[in-house]
Each structure stands twice: as structure tokens, then as C-alpha cells.
Amino acid sequence: MTDPRLQHLVDRAGIDGAINAYSHALDQRAWELLEDAFLPDAEIVLIDRAVTHTPQSLVTALSRNDRTRLSGQHLVGKTRARIAGDEAHAVTEALWTTLQTTEDPTAFLLIRGTGVYVDDLRRVEAGWRIARRELALKSITRDLVPLEDDDLENIRRTLAQEWL
């Protein structure tokens, strides 16, 4: 029999892995990582609540800004999870930023938001996966910011790397 404390740690690591896979997929545009985050038929509800996405329709929706998107970063932390057998409920504090080009080549749109990911997860053969995610917004700001040419060059160099 497995020590329940050890099993809890293993479960938490698997839950954290699924939550982090989502952030890496978005930030690196490594959409294949969504397989490590979501069940194929997962329900994903974004801030506007207008549409419930599947992982595939989420990729389509989030790719709409790829033409203007320079970078994005999703930071997660402070996850609290209740685990009951092969199901779990987790709430994770999140901070995200997106940097986009504008029609003015000297001004960039910086979007910063905070919120919580509210996840229902299921343990499957491949590990823990999100069955349902709701993104609840806490704050959002949009600012036009200048970037130095050297900074822009370094951002573009970073984005050109294959990190994973």
C-alpha cells in the first residue's frame, strides 16, 4: 500500500504539471503541450464567458493575435487543491502579460492581467489532466509603452529560440 502522504505529493506534482503545461503552451506557442494540460474534451471558459472552448478551439482563439503578438508570459502560483481519489479541484492565482505591436512602430501594447484558474481535474492513465477550466479575472491594464531598439531585438531573439 502506498503511503497516503507520498501519494498526495505525487498527485500535487501531477496537478501542478498540468497547470504549468498550459502556461508553457501559451507562452511558447507550443500547442502540443496542451495534451499535458487538458483532456481532449475539456471545457475551457475564458474571461468573456461568451464561448466554452475545447483545447483545439482555444488554440484557434488564442492564435488570432499572433500577427501582432510579440510575447506573452503566464505566471502561476499559490495553487490550492482538494484531491478526492481520481478527481481534484484546484484554484491557482495567475498573472499574465502580453506584449503586442501596434500601428505605431514605436509604441507597443502591454496587457497585464491577474486572475484565478479554477480547475476540475481528473487522473487518467497519462496523469492528471484538466477536465474543466474557468478563468476568473481580478484585474487588467492596457498601456502603450515604448521599447528601446536593443530591448526589442533581445525580445525577438528570445522568441526565436526553441526552449522546450
Side-chain angles (χ1 to χ4, degrees):
M1 182 174 177
T2 303
D3 182 333
R5 294 172 298 175
L6 179 59
Q7 185 61 52
H8 180 79
L9 292 174
V10 169
D11 289 340
R12 280 303 310 264
I15 290 167
D16 290 345
I19 292 167
N20 287 323
Y22 170 82
S23 295
H24 282 285
L26 267 61
D27 297 342
Q28 307 303 320
R29 291 311 205 231
W31 300 122
E32 69 279 2
L33 293 177
L34 289 179
E35 293 177 13
D36 295 337
F38 293 107
L39 293 173
D41 61 347
E43 294 180 11
I44 305 160
V45 182
L46 300 180
I47 296 166
D48 62 9
R49 311 280 188 271
V51 177
T52 298
H53 291 281
T54 64
Q56 189 55 49
S57 71
L58 180 69
V59 170
T60 301
L62 295 178
S63 295
R64 286 189 189 120
N65 75 342
D66 281 352
R67 186 181 55 77
T68 59
R69 180 185 182 276
L70 276 175
S71 66
Q73 189 170 34
H74 292 71
L75 302 174
V76 295
K78 296 186 349 187
T79 298
R80 296 283 298 169
R82 284 191 322 265
I83 302 167
D86 291 336
E87 296 188 358
H89 180 77
V91 177
T92 304
E93 297 288 336
L95 163 71
W96 59 92
T97 61
T98 303
L99 186 62
Q100 294 177 274
T101 61
T102 67
E103 291 180 11
D104 178 350
T106 65
F108 298 85
L109 178 62
L110 179 63
I111 303 170
R112 292 174 291 224
T114 64
V116 291
Y117 297 145
V118 181
D119 295 326
D120 293 317
L121 298 100
R122 191 171 312 129
R123 184 195 334 254
V124 294
E125 189 174 323
W128 284 97
R129 298 295 184 267
I130 300 167
R132 184 177 193 285
R133 163 166 282 180
E134 185 168 340
L135 171 55
L137 185 66
K138 286 186 168 184
S139 71
I140 193 160
T141 59
R142 293 174 177 85
D143 296 303
L144 287 176
V145 298
L147 285 179
E148 299 290 327
D149 288 342
D150 287 347
D151 292 334
L152 185 56
E153 182 181 330
N154 285 326
I155 290 168
R156 290 188 192 281
R157 186 178 315 119
T158 297
L159 297 174
Q161 297 296 315
E162 179 72 29
W163 297 106
L164 298 174

